[in-house]
């Protein structure tokens, strides 16, 4: 059986004081049956690593450079993230794809760079509302995942996939459990064609997951946990979602 994974994506929120309060709340609320992690803004990785040392909560970054080192102003390398004990790095979140024009190949290269430093990339895929309405959902997520499969080869089994329909992110509109499961099943089938370990891989759902809809989403056979944005900013809300995955 796959152990569920719940990852908080703080996005560009918080400060040192609110982060400390949030982490204290989470530490008090755990432990959970599910694995739990938070992906935080890079400047706070040092604080978060110190605070979560020895705790059952992992941490990670929201992006990672595809490059090893050098003249890439503003980028943060996988080696740097590894020095701060990151277990995870998001790759290809839809906000990065949309606002930073990250291509499918760029996302695949980021995933590869993370793995080279033993950081598990959480590769995000998902369709826009226009794509869903044009019946392009399957084609879009397949294309996005395919770039990663081709770039990673047999190492594909080491990633986590997150299905996040763009129209559900931060909008309060969640995919129904059936809609989400249908896409997760497609992604699992695609992974099965690429690796014999697809049944052990985690595919998370993200997009307006809240305490009151988490349990039914997580009950779907191919939904192995969640990537949580807004609801990961309050300890009580996030803890309830982690409990729903137990
Ligand atoms: P949301 O964000 O939970 O606020 O919809 C999810 C995400 O963007 O990862």
């Amino acid at each position: 059986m796959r152990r569920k994974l719940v990852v908080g994506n703080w996005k560009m929120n918080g400060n040192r004081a609110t982060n400390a309060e949030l982490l204290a709340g989470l530490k008090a609320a755990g432990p959970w049956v599910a694995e739990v992690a938070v992906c935080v803004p890079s400047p706070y990785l040092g604080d978060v690593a110190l605070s979560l040392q020895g705790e059952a909560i992992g941490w990670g970054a929201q992006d990672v450079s595809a490059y090893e080192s050098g003249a890439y102003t503003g980028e943060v390398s996988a080696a740097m993230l590894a020095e701060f004990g990151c277990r995870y790095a998001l790759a290809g979140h839809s906000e990065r794809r949309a606002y930073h024009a990250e291509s499918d190949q760029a996302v695949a290269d980021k995933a590869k760079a993370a793995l080279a430093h033993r950081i598990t990339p959480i590769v995000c895929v998902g369709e826009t509302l226009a794509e869903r309405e044009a019946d392009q959902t399957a084609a879009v997520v397949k294309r996005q995942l395919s770039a990663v499969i081709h770039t990673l080869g047999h190492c594909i089994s080491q990633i986590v996939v997150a299905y996040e329909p763009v129209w559900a992110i931060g909008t309060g509109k969640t995919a129904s459990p059936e809609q989400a499961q249908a896409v997760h099943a497609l992604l699992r089938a695609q992974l099965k064609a690429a690796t014999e370990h697809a049944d052990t891989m985690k595919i998370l759902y993200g997009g307006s997951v809240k305490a009151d809809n988490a349990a039914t989403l997580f009950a779907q056979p191919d939904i192995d946990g969640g990537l949580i944005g807004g609801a990961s900013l309050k300890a009580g809300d996030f803890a309830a979602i982690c409990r729903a995955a137990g």
Side-chain angles (χ1 to χ4, degrees), residues 9 11 90 93-95 164 168-172 206-210 227-231:
N9 172 13
K11 308 194 181 188
L90 304 184
H93 187 280
S94 65
E95 286 148 20
E164 297 205 303
I169 294 177
T171 58
S208 297
V209 178
K210 307 274 181 264
L227 181 55
I228 320 300

Side-chain angles (χ1 to χ4, degrees), residues 177-195:
E178 296 73 25
Q179 277 176 324
Q181 166 57 27
V183 178
H184 281 234
L186 284 177
L187 294 169
R188 180 93 55 204
Q190 191 180 355
L191 291 168
K192 273 190 182 150
T195 170

Side-chain angles (χ1 to χ4, degrees), residues 68-140:
E68 195 53 40
S69 66
Y72 299 102
T73 302
E75 298 261 299
V76 177
S77 74
M80 295 170 185
L81 299 180
E83 259 202 298
F84 284 91
C86 286
R87 190 181 302 166
Y88 295 104
L90 304 184
H93 187 280
S94 65
E95 286 148 20
R96 303 285 319 171
R97 292 180 190 260
Y99 309 146
H100 301 272
E102 289 186 4
S103 66
D104 296 336
Q105 188 56 51
V107 173
D109 292 341
K110 285 168 182 264
K112 187 172 183 180
L115 278 180
H117 290 274
R118 296 167 190 273
I119 293 168
T120 300
I122 300 176
V123 176
C124 306
V125 299
E127 82 287 3
T128 62
L129 184 58
E131 288 164 341
R132 174 161 282 264
E133 286 174 349
D135 263 338
Q136 291 298 302
T137 299
V140 169

